[in-house]
Amino acid sequence: HRKVNTPTIAIDVTDYCVNSGNVITVEVRDALDLELPYGKQRKKRGGMWYTPVSGIWQTVWMESVTNDSIEDIKITPSLTEVLIEIKGGSPLKTVVFDGREIPVLDNSVKIAPENPIEWTPENPKLYDFEIISGEDRVKSYFALRTVSVDGNSILLNGKPYFFNGLLDQGYFSDGIFLPATPAGFEYDILTMKKLGFNMLRKHIKIEPMLFYYFCDKYGMVVFQDFVN
């Protein structure tokens, strides 16, 4: 048993594993402690405050990894290149991009695609890459996209852009905090695209990473609220 106060954590269970019959149980109790993120929950509902919810709505999984496994990556794009910073892994790491192996120096690498294509809602171009560290392989993607503010204008890729969107509460009729299947995320995003929207304001909630991947893939900008 281990008490944690963060929404994202990795626990090494190597010493507790046996040859067969391993079971992992995740128990969550939310006391609505105001020192922790609590979203739109309140014991006394009203206004924008909803009734408390139960259940684990973020992804939980178990996997075996090597001693030289990659722990995390950070991707920072510009309009012509991307900086990939890697945490963990072996001293000898490479990034495979566009059929080329690029050595990783000081745990970071820059990639500049030939004839770069900027990401926009109208043309959501994504670039795939893979990181190799010993026996560990991690696949991910990036887009050449920037968002900035200039006076009263929000700029997409350095140019004023009209973000036409709506408030996305992140509640689902078939699963409350989650859709019944990942296809529910896709349906919502693609339906909003068909209705002419290019932006969703995610209301005081952080979705599983799969939601943001679908937004990148289908060309939907996310205005992400802070969580209470």
Side-chain angles (χ1 to χ4, degrees), residues 75-84 95-103 108-118 125-129 142-145:
I75 302 172
T76 306
S78 71
L79 298 183
T80 57
E81 64 180 14
V82 64
L83 172 65
I84 303 172
V95 171
V96 179
F97 175 74
D98 197 21
R100 298 179 291 121
E101 287 197 11
I102 306 170
S108 66
V109 64
K110 285 187 177 181
I111 296 176
E114 295 183 11
N115 303 314
I117 299 174
E118 298 176 4
K125 169 64 176 177
L126 301 180
Y127 292 90
D128 295 320
F129 69 90
F142 64 84
L144 301 178
R145 172 184 64 189

Side-chain angles (χ1 to χ4, degrees), residues 145-151 153-161 163:
R145 172 184 64 189
T146 62
V147 179
S148 56
V149 176
D150 182 13
S153 297
I154 302 178
L155 310 183
L156 177 65
N157 301 335
K159 301 176 183 177
Y161 188 86
F163 293 94

Side-chain angles (χ1 to χ4, degrees), residues 4-228:
V4 297
N5 293 325
T6 57
T8 303
I9 190 168
I11 300 175
D12 186 349
V13 297
T14 303
D15 295 338
Y16 304 96
C17 290
V18 295
N19 289 332
S20 63
N22 292 287
V23 176
I24 181 170
T25 302
V26 181
E27 298 179 358
V28 174
R29 178 173 297 172
D30 186 357
L32 291 182
D33 186 339
L34 300 187
E35 294 183 357
L36 301 174
Y38 57 93
K40 291 173 274 193
Q41 303 181 82
R42 183 169 285 183
K43 294 178 180 178
K44 185 177 180 181
R45 67 175 298 271
M48 63 157 279
W49 302 105
Y50 299 167
T51 52
V53 298
S54 63
I56 300 171
W57 59 276
Q58 288 282 17
T59 305
V60 179
W61 77 93
M62 186 177 187
E63 64 176 324
S64 60
V65 295
T66 61
N67 290 329
D68 54 6
S69 63
I70 297 165
E71 297 177 27
D72 198 6
I73 61 175
K74 180 181 179 180
I75 302 172
T76 306
S78 71
L79 298 183
T80 57
E81 64 180 14
V82 64
L83 172 65
I84 303 172
E85 298 172 272
I86 305 169
K87 180 181 179 182
S90 69
L92 300 176
K93 294 185 286 286
T94 59
V95 171
V96 179
F97 175 74
D98 197 21
R100 298 179 291 121
E101 287 197 11
I102 306 170
V104 176
L105 303 176
D106 296 325
N107 291 316
S108 66
V109 64
K110 285 187 177 181
I111 296 176
E114 295 183 11
N115 303 314
I117 299 174
E118 298 176 4
W119 185 100
T120 65
E122 297 76 25
N123 182 29
K125 169 64 176 177
L126 301 180
Y127 292 90
D128 295 320
F129 69 90
E130 183 178 24
I131 304 172
I132 301 176
S133 172
E135 296 181 0
D136 195 25
R137 291 172 175 256
V138 172
K139 293 182 179 181
S140 190
Y141 69 93
F142 64 84
L144 301 178
R145 172 184 64 189
T146 62
V147 179
S148 56
V149 176
D150 182 13
N152 293 325
S153 297
I154 302 178
L155 310 183
L156 177 65
N157 301 335
K159 301 176 183 177
Y161 188 86
F162 182 68
F163 293 94
N164 178 32
L166 44 77
L167 185 67
D168 185 349
Q169 296 276 6
Y171 279 76
F172 302 87
S173 61
D174 53 3
I176 307 180
F177 260 25
L178 288 178
T181 69
F185 282 140
E186 293 182 280
Y187 174 81
D188 268 12
I189 296 166
L190 292 173
T191 299
M192 295 307 102
K193 288 279 289 188
K194 290 178 181 178
L195 291 173
F197 297 106
N198 57 35
M199 181 271 289
L200 298 174
R201 175 190 161 194
K202 180 54 64 174
H203 191 230
I204 322 181
K205 179 191 177 194
I206 297 173
E207 295 289 2
M209 291 297 103
L210 189 60
F211 165 80
Y212 301 98
Y213 165 69
F214 287 140
C215 287
D216 288 341
K217 178 180 179 180
Y218 296 123
M220 184 65 76
V221 176
V222 179
F223 284 15
Q224 176 66 60
D225 280 7
F226 280 105
V227 177
N228 285 335

